[in-house]
């Protein structure tokens, strides 16, 4: 379990209609703020308790070891620690790398349900890394050599390429770019070697993707994730990778709400 006190943003309260809390898990270079922008108030307003954590070394969470050495297992421990503090097992909702973390979390734990949003697929980050190498070979090589990647994702143009659609308003992209932070090099390596094992997961999983996500997680990778969890994906047109921040995020949130409500959650 996490040995540091993690930043947690907590909105709303559980209700008879929605008894299970929702635990939102962010992706690489992000923190809990990416859920606070739109999703937490949306779900709190629908009668859920909505909680978002920042992994250690991200947002307002301290870290007990160097950021570059934090592992996917450390992030799984962070999710488990926050989940253990909730009054009942939460629905876990992970985006991008956070979806990868959620998959690892579910290997050894049951949850009422899980949602994977533009999640790294069970086969890992290799395809995403190859896309980065083909588009920006020097960036990829320098990042691999230094273990530092923020400089290559935080310029506004790079943030748009990786996280947003071409038509997302500039102010949304710039606001996100300004809040990105360095990510662990170790977690990136784990995304190639410490792969999830879907056969161990018993939790029902909703798989969502974005049609205009071409750099981080492609629609074909979303479909492969859905096949691994024996379900059908929902892919949203006109959206880029950061589905919780893109214009049209309400359609994503409403779909999750409807899916959970249908399951009595």
């Amino acid at each position: 379990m996490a040995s540091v006190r993690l930043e947690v943003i907590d909105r709303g309260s559980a209700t008879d209609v929605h008894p299970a809390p929702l635990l939102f898990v962010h992706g690489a270079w992000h923190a809990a703020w990416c859920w606070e922008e739109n999703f937490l108030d949306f779900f709190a307003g629908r009668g859920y308790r909505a909680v978002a954590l920042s992994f250690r070394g991200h947002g307002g969470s301290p870290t007990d070891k160097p950021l570059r050495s934090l592992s996917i297992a450390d992030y799984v421990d962070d999710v488990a620690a926050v989940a253990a503090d909730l009054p009942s097992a939460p629905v876990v909702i992970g985006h991008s790398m956070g979806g990868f973390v959620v998959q690892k979390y579910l290997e050894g734990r049951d949850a009422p349900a899980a949602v994977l949003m533009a999640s790294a697929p069970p086969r890992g980050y290799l395809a995403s890394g190859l896309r980065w190498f083909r588009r920006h070979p020097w960036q990829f090589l320098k990042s691999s050599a230094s273990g530092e990647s923020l400089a290559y994702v935080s310029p506004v143009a790079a943030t748009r390429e990786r996280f947003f659609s071409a038509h997302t308003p500039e102010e949304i992209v710039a606001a996100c770019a300004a809040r990105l932070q360095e990510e662990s090099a170790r977690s990136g390596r784990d995304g190639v070697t410490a792969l999830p094992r879907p056969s161990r997961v018993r939790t029902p999983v909703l798989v969502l993707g974005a049609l205009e996500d071409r750099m981080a997680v492609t629609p074909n990778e979303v479909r492969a994730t859905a096949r691994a969890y024996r379900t059908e994906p929902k892919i949203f047109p006109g959206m880029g990778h950061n589905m919780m921040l893109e214009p049209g995020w309400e359609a994503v949130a409403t779909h999750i709400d409807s899916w959970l409500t249908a399951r009595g959650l």
Side-chain angles (χ1 to χ4, degrees):
M1 291 292 185
S3 57
V4 296
R5 185 165 184 82
L6 300 170
E7 176 184 41
V8 174
I9 303 174
D10 196 339
R11 297 283 188 273
S13 301
T15 60
D16 291 341
V17 176
H18 300 300
L22 310 183
L23 178 54
F24 292 89
V25 184
H26 67 83
W29 301 290
H30 290 63
W33 58 263
C34 70
W35 302 108
E36 184 180 26
E37 190 77 16
N38 298 310
F39 266 45
L40 296 189
D41 285 341
F42 174 92
F43 283 98
R46 297 290 179 101
Y48 296 88
R49 183 178 179 187
V51 177
L53 81 153
S54 294
F55 294 137
R56 67 187 80 180
H58 296 70
S61 294
T63 179
D64 52 355
K65 60 177 76 172
L67 174 68
R68 65 186 297 126
S69 67
L70 293 175
S71 66
I72 292 293
D74 290 324
Y75 297 160
V76 171
D77 284 347
D78 292 344
V79 174
V82 175
D85 279 343
L86 295 172
S88 61
V91 174
V92 281
I93 302 173
H95 174 254
S96 196
M97 180 188 76
F100 191 92
V101 171
V102 164
Q103 293 174 68
K104 296 296 291 182
Y105 170 85
L106 293 172
E107 286 179 1
R109 302 166 184 85
D110 290 328
V115 181
L116 303 178
M117 291 175 52
S119 171
R123 62 192 181 200
Y125 300 176
L126 182 59
S128 177
L130 289 173
R131 284 191 292 275
W132 188 8
F133 176 75
R134 285 194 294 267
R135 293 190 189 195
H136 305 290
W138 282 113
Q139 285 185 8
F140 182 86
L141 292 172
K142 286 188 284 187
S143 176
S144 298
S146 68
E148 298 178 351
S149 55
L150 180 63
Y152 310 118
V153 299
S154 60
V156 172
T159 298
R160 180 181 293 279
E161 179 184 40
R162 181 169 288 272
F163 299 118
F164 292 95
S165 65
H167 53 264
T168 302
E170 188 77 358
E171 60 269 22
I172 293 177
V173 181
C176 178
R179 301 190 75 170
L180 298 177
Q181 62 185 99
E182 191 60 76
E183 187 51 70
S184 163
R186 166 70 186 276
S187 72
R189 294 193 296 273
D190 286 351
V192 177
T193 60
L195 300 182
R197 290 166 285 190
S199 63
R200 296 192 175 189
V201 176
R202 297 186 295 268
T203 298
V205 178
L206 174 64
V207 177
L208 308 178
L211 190 60
E212 295 189 23
D213 188 347
R214 302 299 182 187
M215 183 72 169
V217 181
T218 66
N220 281 340
E221 287 167 340
V222 173
R223 295 183 186 101
T225 299
R227 286 194 299 272
Y229 290 100
R230 304 166 294 282
T231 189
E232 293 293 325
K234 169 69 174 176
I235 297 176
F236 289 82
M239 298 196 81
H241 185 65
N242 271 8
M243 302 172 71
M244 75 291 281
L245 295 172
E246 280 270 17
W249 64 265
E250 297 98 330
V252 181
T254 298
H255 188 81
I256 295 170
D257 175 38
S258 298
W259 186 79
L260 293 174
T261 298
R263 283 155 182 76
L265 298 170

